[in-house]
Amino acid sequence: MQPVPVPPFAGAAAAEPGGPRLKLAVQRSGRLTQDTIDLLHAIGLEFESYGQRLFSHCRNFPLSILYGRDDDIPGYMALGTVDLGILGQNLIHEEGVRVDELAPLGFGYCSLIVAVLRDSPYQAPAELGGCRIATSYPRSAAAYFKTLGLEPEIITISGSVEVAPSLGMADAVVELTATGSTLLLNDLRPIATILESQAVLAASPAAMADPARRATIERLLMRVKAVRAAKRFKYLMMNAPEAALPEIRRVVPGLKSPTIIPLADPGWVAVHTAIEEEVFWDSIERLRAAGATEILVSSLEKLML
Ligand code: ATP
Ligand code: ZN
């Protein structure tokens, strides 16, 4: 197949059929990259993401994707280099940029925490006023301690922050953690959580204020929400005696209400409904106890709520 020539990224803003071409910044290589690319494919976008590309154009949606360092994404959004970004909420907080968080994406979960060496005397962040704190998130750290009325010395390091206390460089760290395993490995003990974070789709206020771009953003957002909702719900079918219906409706109220179809056997019905993944096993046990049988569950691909 012949490669389709694409215009350079900077020139891609011109209007074209299907609305103005939006620009979306994503992390090029890191913890968010694979989930981000998977999500963009799941919402039906066709683009090449392999190799050392700096940007790619979607073939079937007016969107160009810019691959960059995650730390640069808030700046790109503030400067108007891009309209949209997929990034951790921790970075939005750190950079203090004004962006519209359009949708949480359900990946990149982590917490920004304060940690000290396991055998250090410090038990609470309020004791760290005169201390030295190592972090890659200096603004978030300073802002947090300010809320406690403290101004500890904050030193900014871009990597391996977690080794700073054992090297004697700092008394505490402000660091991201997901599972806590890196903390354990470095003998660190968390004493406070500053922020819980996950990846979000965010838009620049300038893009949202422009009706043409906003319309395209809404189309994209609708797709993201449909894919996210489909992940949250399962489709559930079961047979049950009619007498069990009140209890079944209590357990699985459905999105509006369940579909109930009479079976050939008198006194029996088939119930079709949606069920939230989170309460799934719990609900199934209650449905069985209520008399439901032949319970069939299937995954959803998209769900427009
Ligand atoms: P880049 O080269 O793009 O600057 P990075 O090394 O700064 O990459 P990653 O470590 O890939 O960034 O983390 C990207 C994002 O993933 C973080 O900003 C955060 O939102 C999220 N994240 C999830 N879990 C963790 C974790 N355990 N440690 C750090 N970040 C995490
Ligand atoms: Zn980074």
Side-chain angles (χ1 to χ4, degrees):
M1 201 168 62
Q2 280 291 312
V4 184
V6 287
F9 192 79
E16 57 180 81
R21 187 165 272 275
L22 295 174
K23 298 172 210 161
L24 164 72
V26 304
Q27 191 185 21
R28 180 181 189 158
S29 158
R31 287 184 155 95
L32 304 182
T33 306
Q34 194 56 52
D35 285 326
T36 299
I37 301 294
D38 290 350
L39 172 72
L40 296 177
H41 283 139
I43 63 171
L45 303 182
E46 291 173 9
F47 60 96
E48 303 334 317
S49 60
Y50 53 79
Q52 291 301 303
R53 290 173 172 267
L54 279 180
F55 63 90
S56 51
H57 293 267
C58 291
R59 284 187 289 276
N60 58 350
F61 195 85
L63 182 82
S64 297
I65 302 166
L66 172 66
Y67 302 91
R69 290 203 53 188
D70 67 343
D71 318 60
D72 293 334
I73 297 176
Y76 290 154
M77 295 181 75
L79 285 171
T81 313
V82 297
D83 306 298
L84 296 160
I86 291 181
L87 73 169
Q89 289 167 311
N90 55 300
L91 281 178
I92 296 175
H93 183 255
E94 173 64 18
E95 301 299 332
V97 287
R98 229 170 45 78
V99 298
D100 290 6
E101 292 188 23
L102 302 178
L105 299 178
F107 59 83
Y109 286 105
C110 56
S111 316
L112 188 65
I113 52 114
V114 185
V116 294
L117 278 175
R118 192 166 26 163
D119 50 9
S120 108
Y122 304 112
Q123 298 300 329
E127 298 161 23
L128 298 175
C131 291
R132 184 188 280 171
I133 316 248
T135 187
S136 305
Y137 296 88
R139 289 184 209 107
S140 303
Y144 172 72
F145 283 104
K146 201 165 172 211
T147 64
L148 302 176
L150 303 175
E151 272 188 48
E153 183 189 348
I154 290 175
I155 54 170
T156 307
I157 4 189
S158 55
S160 306
V161 170
E162 59 283 351
V163 299
S166 42
L167 293 179
M169 280 170 70
D171 308 291
V173 296
V174 166
E175 229 328 33
L176 284 179
T177 174
T179 57
S181 56
T182 314
L183 297 180
L184 271 181
L185 211 66
N186 291 282
D187 256 355
L188 292 173
R189 168 165 60 86
I191 55 170
T193 300
I194 297 179
L195 184 83
E196 304 278 3
S197 172
Q198 65 173 301
V200 291
L201 173 66
S204 77
M208 293 299 275
D210 168 9
R213 277 185 287 171
R214 186 178 177 133
T216 310
I217 291 173
E218 301 283 357
R219 286 175 59 207
L220 195 71
L221 183 60
M222 197 265 289
R223 295 187 184 196
V224 169
K225 285 186 171 164
V227 167
R228 293 265 302 128
K231 278 221 176 81
R232 254 189 28 240
F233 289 95
K234 299 264 178 228
Y235 192 70
L236 183 66
M237 291 168 273
M238 72 200 101
N239 295 328
E242 249 172 313
L245 275 177
E247 172 64 4
I248 290 176
R249 292 193 64 164
R250 261 195 298 279
V251 180
V252 278
L255 296 171
K256 273 209 173 54
S257 73
T259 306
I260 295 166
I261 310 156
L263 292 186
D265 280 353
W268 278 79
V269 290
V271 181
H272 291 209
T273 188
I275 180 172
E276 276 209 68
E277 172 86 64
E278 252 180 33
V279 294
F280 179 76
W281 286 112
D282 207 38
S283 305
I284 296 292
E285 283 162 20
R286 289 173 62 196
L287 291 171
R288 285 176 64 96
T293 60
E294 291 97 36
I295 300 174
L296 202 145
V297 183
S298 55
S299 297
L300 296 165
E301 197 171 316
K302 315 270 187 318
L303 176 62
M304 265 61 78
L305 289 171

